[in-house]
Amino acid sequence: PRAANVVPQLLALLRQQDLPVPVLADRIGRDPVLAAEVLRQAGGAYFAHLGPVNDLPQAIQRLGIEGLQMAIARVVLRPLYQARPGTLPAQTAPRLWEHAETLSRHASQQARAAGVTAFDGYLAGLLHDTGWTVLFHALQRGGISGLGALSVDGMAALDARAHLLFGR
């Protein structure tokens, strides 16, 4: 089971300067989902040139504070994109999450270039597509069980307004 108090504690710890890696590793290790995400990120393609990751402290050192913040955000926000199997939101969830991750990376780079923290841009990108999730839940409640039930013109109209609406 998820340790509900771990994420707020970690976010508070990440605001402190020069925290010892063992303290962070201890807190992250209390949440298996978060620990797996940190290890996955640190062992991913971006860090492949550094060799394999042997343990959680090494993974934390590779990611740094910004990388840890982003890993925590992914673990906390991913459930927003999940839904009960067989529903319209569940049909769209994997693609929405993939798009949200891509958008978050782009928004992170744009934020950094604009002098805003990369993490703020990253969060904005991850949250942007939650509007689609809300919309698909509403369509499901309205009796629409698949995207094929929407007309091409209807989908185009939704798409044209989506980014403006969700950005707000």
Side-chain angles (χ1 to χ4, degrees), residues 13-14 16-28 57 60-61 65 68:
L13 283 174
L14 291 174
Q16 298 175 19
Q17 298 295 322
D18 300 325
L19 273 178
V21 171
V23 171
L24 288 170
D26 178 60
R27 297 286 168 86
I28 291 169
I60 291 167
Q61 288 177 325
I65 297 299
L68 281 176

Side-chain angles (χ1 to χ4, degrees), residues 12 26 31 53-54 82-83 89 96 99 119:
D26 178 60
D31 186 326
V53 175
N54 298 316
Q82 296 171 339
L96 281 176
H99 184 260
F119 182 59

Side-chain angles (χ1 to χ4, degrees), residues 2-13 31 34 72-73 75-76:
R2 302 290 309 275
N5 61 347
V6 170
V7 172
Q9 288 175 4
L10 279 171
L11 290 174
L13 283 174
D31 186 326
L34 180 56
I72 292 168
V75 168
V76 169

Side-chain angles (χ1 to χ4, degrees), residues 36-115:
E37 179 64 19
V38 168
L39 289 166
R40 185 185 72 79
Q41 282 298 117
Y46 184 78
F47 295 106
H49 66 284
L50 298 173
V53 175
N54 298 316
D55 56 25
L56 200 49
Q58 182 185 18
I60 291 167
Q61 288 177 325
R62 275 192 191 178
L63 293 180
I65 297 299
E66 190 176 275
L68 281 176
Q69 289 173 324
M70 292 177 185
I72 292 168
R74 272 191 304 283
V75 168
V76 169
L77 297 177
R78 178 138 192 180
L80 293 176
Y81 289 89
Q82 296 171 339
R84 197 175 64 248
T87 64
L88 179 58
Q91 293 171 31
T92 59
R95 177 66 181 107
L96 281 176
W97 177 250
E98 179 184 325
H99 184 260
E101 284 193 304
T102 301
L103 189 58
S104 68
R105 288 189 296 273
H106 177 71
S108 174
Q109 292 170 350
Q110 294 297 313
R112 189 177 283 123

